[in-house]
Amino acid sequence: EIVLTQSPAALSLSPGERATLSCRASQSVNNYLAWYQQKPGQAPRLLIYDASNRATGIPARFSGSGSGTDFTLTISSLEPEDFAVYFCQQRFNWPPITFGQGTRLEIK
Amino acid sequence: EVQLLESGGGLVQPGGSLRLSCAASKFTFSPYAITWVRQAPGQGLEWVSSISASGGSTYYAESVKGRFTISRDNSKNVLSLQMNSLRADDTAIYYCAIDRVTFGVGAFDCWGQGTLVTVSS
């Protein structure tokens, strides 16, 4: 099973700042990595798939990069609605599909 | 707007059974694999089970294998999850999700609102 480790567990930033979230895989997932945003009481929302492709309707301030075992989600300039929990997910070697434990992005 | 709607959650005693359903509206889900993902209270996301577009292939997390059964009826646009021998650690919100981007399991762009399953005596 591929384990995804996200860091940091929590990140405290102000609107307008840049956010950098990390996801590290226990073995290569090629580029088969997705990122999701989840707000309280809501289902997750797909942001990025295959490491760097923005999903439909996702603002350009969200970008993904990386391949192999190290991946990054960057939010270039935080908007108030971006404060949420972010999860990564791999599909390279499944089953099982695995998710990271999440990074909580909080308002400073 | 495309929607998935789960139902069937509730309170059940340990060892009991529940059957969850996921219905699609405003689109046909027959071309897509469908997946169940769960989230225990205050916790992260956990993959539970997936089924291929035809229904001919099914996949399960080790934690539910032998207890849960996924199935689909493409003629009715309905997905089911039969859950038997439920345990306290099955308590979670259960989401159905579809990847319309890669037609697989790598980019779940459509999610239901979730249905809460509570296993407790």
Side-chain angles (χ1 to χ4, degrees):
Chain A
E1 172 176 328
I2 295 177
V3 176
L4 299 179
T5 302
Q6 292 186 240
S7 62
L11 185 57
S12 185
L13 292 170
S14 300
E17 290 194 291
R18 182 183 188 92
T20 303
L21 286 65
S22 174
C23 178
R24 176 164 290 179
S26 60
Q27 62 190 81
S28 177
V29 299
N30 200 333
N31 69 329
Y32 294 130
L33 190 106
W35 290 93
Y36 299 85
Q37 176 194 68
Q38 188 178 33
K39 296 180 179 179
Q42 296 184 15
R45 177 174 73 143
L46 177 68
L47 300 175
I48 301 287
Y49 67 95
D50 292 349
S52 60
N53 296 296
R54 262 192 310 277
T56 301
I58 301 303
R61 65 180 181 273
F62 291 91
S63 63
S65 63
S67 66
T69 61
D70 290 298
F71 299 86
T72 301
L73 173 70
T74 301
I75 311 171
S76 59
S77 179
L78 285 165
E79 297 288 341
E81 62 267 27
D82 298 336
F83 293 92
V85 180
Y86 292 83
F87 296 96
C88 56
Q89 175 238 322
Q90 69 83 24
R91 68 175 173 107
F92 176 66
N93 185 12
W94 81 283
I97 297 162
T98 52
F99 292 87
Q101 83 281 11
T103 290
R104 182 177 304 276
L105 181 55
E106 303 169 333
I107 299 177
K108 190 172 184 179
Chain B
E1 182 184 346
V2 168
Q3 284 189 325
L4 295 175
L5 184 63
E6 302 95 338
S7 60
L11 175 63
V12 61
Q13 292 189 336
S17 298
L18 275 179
R19 187 176 183 87
L20 304 185
S21 295
C22 171
S25 68
K26 301 185 180 180
F27 84 109
T28 299
F29 70 24
S30 57
Y32 309 104
I34 314 178
T35 292
W36 287 99
V37 175
R38 69 185 181 184
Q39 187 168 36
Q43 302 301 309
L45 302 170
E46 179 188 15
W47 172 71
V48 173
S49 180
S50 298
I51 187 167
S52 63
S54 68
S57 297
T58 57
Y59 310 88
Y60 299 95
E62 286 297 323
S63 59
V64 307
K65 196 173 290 185
R67 301 187 297 123
F68 290 12
T69 302
I70 191 171
S71 61
R72 65 190 294 165
D73 184 339
N74 285 340
S75 67
K76 296 181 179 178
N77 246 13
V78 173
L79 169 76
S80 298
L81 185 69
Q82 178 65 42
M83 304 188 297
N84 298 330
S85 302
L86 283 162
R87 311 184 305 218
D89 62 359
D90 294 318
T91 295
I93 297 171
Y94 285 72
Y95 297 100
C96 57
I98 292 179
D99 171 2
R100 298 176 298 167
V101 179
T102 72
F103 284 77
V105 293
F108 299 116
D109 66 312
C110 187
W111 295 71
Q113 86 291 347
T115 188
L116 177 62
V117 172
T118 303
V119 184
S120 175
S121 55

